[in-house]
Amino acid sequence: MIKAVIPVAGRGTRLLPATKSVPKEMLPLVDRPALFYTVQEAVEAGATEIIFITSRHKPSIEHFFNPDPELESLLEKKGQEKALHEIRKVTSLASYHFIYQEEPLGLGHAVGLAKNLVGQNPFLVLLPDELLLSAPSVSQSLVQSFQKTNQSQTAIMWVSREDTSKYGIIEGEKRGDLFYIHNVVEKPCAEEAPSQWALPGRYLFTPEIFDDLENLSPGRGGEIQLTDAMTKLAQKRGLWGLPTTARRIDTGNPLGYLKAQVEMALQRPELKEPFLKYLSDCQKRHP
Ligand code: G1P
C-alpha cells in the first residue's frame, strides 16, 4: 500500500490574474483540473491514499475531491448518468487527506507535515506543476525501481547548463541504470552545478526522510528545502536517481499551460482528430 504526498499550497503567481481566485492546480486541462492528472498518475502507480498539503485559501481543491451528495442527487434526478459517473470516479479513485501549510516555509516543510499520516511505509511525492508524459509513468517507474534497491529514489532528467538554476541538481555516480546520489544542490547557477541531472518533481522516499526534514535550517531563498534533506538522506541511508526521458511540461506558466492543454486534448480519442484539424487550420491562418 503506497501513499502519495502532493504539495499544493503555493499561490501560483506566474499565472496571475487567473490564480487570484482559482488555484493554479484547479485550472482545467480540457475538462478536469490539472491536479486530477497528478492524482491519476499517483493512483496508477499504486497509491491508495493521497495526502494534499494545501492552504486554507484553496477550498476548491477539497471540494473537488470530496463527495458532493447534493450534486449527485441532482444529477441522478436529471438522469445525467455520464456526469454522475465522472464525478463519482474522482471521489472513489483514492482516499484523500488535507493538511494545511499555514505559512509558506518551503517544499521541505510542506512534505514534513505529512509525517504522521504517512507512517512507516515508503511514499511518493509528486509536484503537480510538472506534467511528465511517458508510458509507464515516472511514478510507476520509481515504484518498480524501488523494488530493486529498497532505498529512496528520485527521478532525474537531463537539462541544459542554462537551466540548472531552475531545479534541484544531483551530484552522483552511475551504477547500472541508476545514479547513486552523494549530494543534491538546490537551483545552482551553471558554473556551480555539479551535473546537468535535474529533479523534475517525482520522488519515492522511505519515511527516514522525515528525520532529515526535522530541525533542518532554512536553505536557499530562506526556505526549508527538500533537497537539503535529500542530501542528508543520501549520505546517511542511500538515495538513487532514476533517469527519465519523459516529456516534461511546466504547467505553471502561460506557454506551458497551453502546451499541457494541447497534449491532454490529443490524448482524448474523441477530440484528437477534430482538434488536430483545427490546429492545422490555425497554422494556415497565422503563418
Ligand atoms: C522545486 C524543488 C526543486 C525541483 C523543482 C521541480 O522547485 O525545490 O528541487 O527541481 O521543484 O519542479 P520549485 O520549482 O517549486 O521552485
Side-chain angles (χ1 to χ4, degrees), residues 93-227:
L93 265 184
S95 54
Y96 302 108
H97 306 273
F98 301 89
I99 297 178
Y100 298 113
Q101 186 183 26
E102 305 288 356
E103 286 175 274
L105 297 179
L107 179 60
H109 174 256
V111 173
L113 292 173
K115 179 179 177 175
N116 291 339
L117 274 176
V118 164
Q120 290 312 310
N121 293 311
F123 64 103
L124 285 162
V125 175
L126 298 92
L127 306 188
D129 266 6
E130 308 281 347
L131 195 61
L132 295 175
L133 302 169
S134 66
S137 74
V138 176
S139 294
Q140 279 171 329
S141 302
L142 283 174
V143 170
Q144 278 169 11
S145 173
F146 179 78
Q147 282 155 5
K148 289 183 218 149
T149 64
N150 260 312
Q151 286 175 318
S152 293
Q153 313 266 328
T154 173
I156 53 173
M157 164 190 84
W158 187 256
V159 296
S160 67
R161 278 254 155 226
E162 308 82 77
D163 277 352
T164 57
S165 59
K166 295 182 188 157
Y167 302 97
I169 301 289
I170 67 148
E171 181 183 344
E173 60 186 86
K174 197 164 188 310
R175 291 198 194 163
D177 296 338
L178 304 179
F179 279 74
Y180 187 75
I181 298 177
H182 300 299
N183 199 13
V184 190
V185 187
E186 181 67 10
K187 306 197 177 93
C189 61
E191 300 74 48
E192 280 163 23
S195 76
Q196 285 168 256
W197 286 107
L199 309 182
R202 296 292 187 280
Y203 318 81
L204 197 164
F205 292 120
T206 57
E208 285 89 21
I209 187 88
F210 292 117
D211 301 338
D212 300 314
L213 282 167
E214 266 167 22
N215 310 314
L216 203 63
S217 318
R220 198 188 151 85
E223 295 188 350
I224 306 288
Q225 295 290 355
L226 182 62
T227 36

Side-chain angles (χ1 to χ4, degrees), residues 25-39:
E25 300 82 5
M26 294 307 288
L27 293 172
L29 296 177
V30 190
D31 54 5
R32 48 209 73 197
L35 185 55
F36 175 84
Y37 299 91
T38 314
V39 168

